[in-house]
Amino acid sequence: MMAFQQAQLHALLQRWRDHQQVGVPRMPSGPGNSLCDVPGVRVGHETLAQGEVQTGVTAIVPPGDNLFTQPLPCGAAVLNGFAKPVGLVQVEELGQLQTPILLSNTLTVGTLFTTLVRDAIAKNPELGRSLPTVNPLALECNDGWLNDIQALAVTEAMAQAALSKADTHFARGSVGAGRGMSCFGLKGGIGTASRLIPELNATLGVLVLANFGTLASLTLDGLHIGPFIEPLLPELAPQRDAGSIIIIMATDAPLDARQLGRIAKRAGAGLGRLGSYWGHGSGDIAVTFSTQPTPRPPEEAKMEAMLCAASDATEHAVLDALLCAEAVTGFRGHHRPDLRQVLDRLAQHVLA
């Protein structure tokens, strides 16, 4: 270990031991440092934790009584397309969000689609008859290491419950869609962050479903810390960078779909700061929507702070997922420890 790396490691672990903090935001956060700092946005979970079944559903519900008749501007960025979402093609074509967003495991996408269709029909009885069909948006990550994904345990009732429970205060970590997710070989899941954009009198909120990265690549506060952690966990089954991350962003700035797509793309910079390289088998997708139905796009030069906020909030939403997640043992006895436990052990080892 080089002397400067030793100094970095000591400083990071001393801060962790003294303050239980990792990461330094580059911009001010909203009051809750949450996706729901954007007015009108709500989040709900339904979690299933029963032995070898460790999975769930997370719902992101934008403001509006009927998104089918009053869609919101929406953009997306597919950083790496090893993924099985539904609804992205039409989002990219029309730039509109017509339903709430549901997240879960890969083999649940069909169930999520049907749930969102039924929800839209309930509000629009002529949907698909005298009215056009709806474009549900459902995204996924593969939680098959901790969850028996073949059990197809997620039901429409669970997905509907996640929608019904949506609130401005929500749990993070090993809950909802994040229950069975792994991140950098550790326990991943749901994380969130927000950033204030005074230049646009706006807020940007981010929610992640973190299920990506290898432990060897993990970088915290600019320190490549994964190689220091690996010797402490010789029993840990390695994680290939093949699990995916879904990034959902919301803003109350009246941006158009093209500008929202630009913001979504900047999520990749935040992932890179953590050590991700968008691995071959990882489905890394960002979706950004505005809560303002009528776009009034600002000049492009005024977007600079928003672009910076997207990368910063994404990085810290992933950190939030790692720090909020509790350790989980699930399918076939597979286990993922949580980052807090690991940092405590590393601090004890290095600072002793």
Side-chain angles (χ1 to χ4, degrees):
M1 185 190 308
M2 303 292 287
F4 75 92
Q5 291 175 307
Q6 184 74 37
Q8 280 184 293
L9 182 62
H10 271 261
L12 185 152
L13 293 174
Q14 190 69 54
R15 181 180 177 224
W16 172 254
R17 191 168 69 176
D18 293 346
H19 304 290
Q20 297 288 287
Q21 292 179 348
V22 175
V24 180
R26 292 168 168 80
M27 301 175 69
S29 66
N33 199 20
S34 163
L35 178 73
C36 296
D37 287 336
V38 179
V41 179
R42 297 174 292 128
V43 173
H45 301 302
E46 186 72 1
T47 306
L48 189 56
Q50 298 177 352
E52 297 205 333
V53 175
Q54 302 286 333
T55 193
V57 182
T58 294
I60 298 94
V61 181
D65 296 329
N66 192 337
L67 290 173
F68 178 69
T69 57
Q70 294 180 311
L72 295 175
C74 187
V78 178
L79 306 175
N80 195 65
F82 203 108
K84 293 86 178 169
V86 63
L88 272 188
V89 171
Q90 188 167 309
V91 166
E92 292 185 336
E93 183 70 20
L94 300 184
Q96 293 182 337
L97 180 64
Q98 295 186 348
T99 70
I101 301 168
L102 288 178
L103 311 178
S104 189
N105 74 62
T106 306
L107 299 188
T108 298
V109 169
T111 301
L112 304 185
F113 178 96
T114 303
T115 302
L116 290 170
V117 168
R118 292 191 197 280
D119 186 63
I121 289 173
K123 298 170 183 173
N124 305 276
E126 282 297 301
L127 190 148
R129 293 174 175 170
S130 62
L131 294 174
T133 56
V134 70
N135 182 51
L137 186 57
L139 302 104
E140 52 75 33
C141 293
N142 184 348
D143 62 6
W145 179 253
L146 291 174
N147 172 51
D148 182 4
I149 198 168
Q150 285 190 11
L152 302 177
V154 172
T155 64
E156 286 185 47
M158 288 179 60
Q160 186 58 56
L163 290 168
S164 300
K165 292 177 180 179
D167 198 354
T168 54
H169 299 283
F170 60 94
R172 297 112 66 211
S174 304
V175 295
R179 179 63 191 177
M181 302 300 170
S182 304
C183 189
F184 291 105
L186 307 173
K187 187 64 190 70
I190 298 292
T192 193
S194 69
R195 296 294 179 265
L196 301 178
I197 320 294
E199 295 85 344
L200 297 174
N201 191 28
T203 300
L204 179 74
V206 175
L207 179 145
V208 299
L209 178 60
N211 189 54
F212 71 104
T214 65
L215 181 55
S217 300
L218 178 61
T219 301
L220 300 177
D221 284 337
L223 173 65
H224 186 195
I225 198 171
F228 300 117
I229 294 175
E230 286 183 308
L232 298 180
L233 303 170
E235 75 287 354
L236 186 69
Q239 178 178 349
R240 295 180 298 118
D241 200 350
S244 306
I245 179 169
I246 304 301
I247 305 115
I248 306 297
M249 302 188 190
T251 182
D252 52 357
L255 308 182
D256 62 25
R258 183 186 59 79
Q259 290 175 323
L260 293 166
R262 295 188 70 203
I263 294 167
K265 191 181 300 182
R266 268 58 182 190
L271 300 183
R273 290 172 185 162
L274 293 160
S276 172
Y277 52 87
W278 313 345
H280 159 67
S282 188
D284 303 337
I285 297 173
V287 174
T288 308
F289 65 88
S290 171
T291 59
Q292 305 302 309
T294 304
R296 299 187 304 279
E299 296 177 8
E300 299 303 316
K302 294 182 178 179
M303 291 280 292
E304 201 71 37
M306 184 72 80
L307 300 177
C308 179
S311 60
D312 189 37
T314 299
E315 175 190 5
H316 286 267
V318 174
L319 285 174
D320 185 58
L322 287 165
L323 291 171
C324 289
E326 62 181 19
V328 169
T329 300
F331 180 56
R332 293 178 174 170
H334 296 166
H335 179 76
R336 291 295 187 205
D338 65 72
L339 179 60
R340 286 182 172 274
Q341 294 173 335
V342 170
L343 289 177
D344 286 343
R345 287 180 60 185
L346 187 60
Q348 185 177 22
H349 175 73
V350 172
L351 300 179

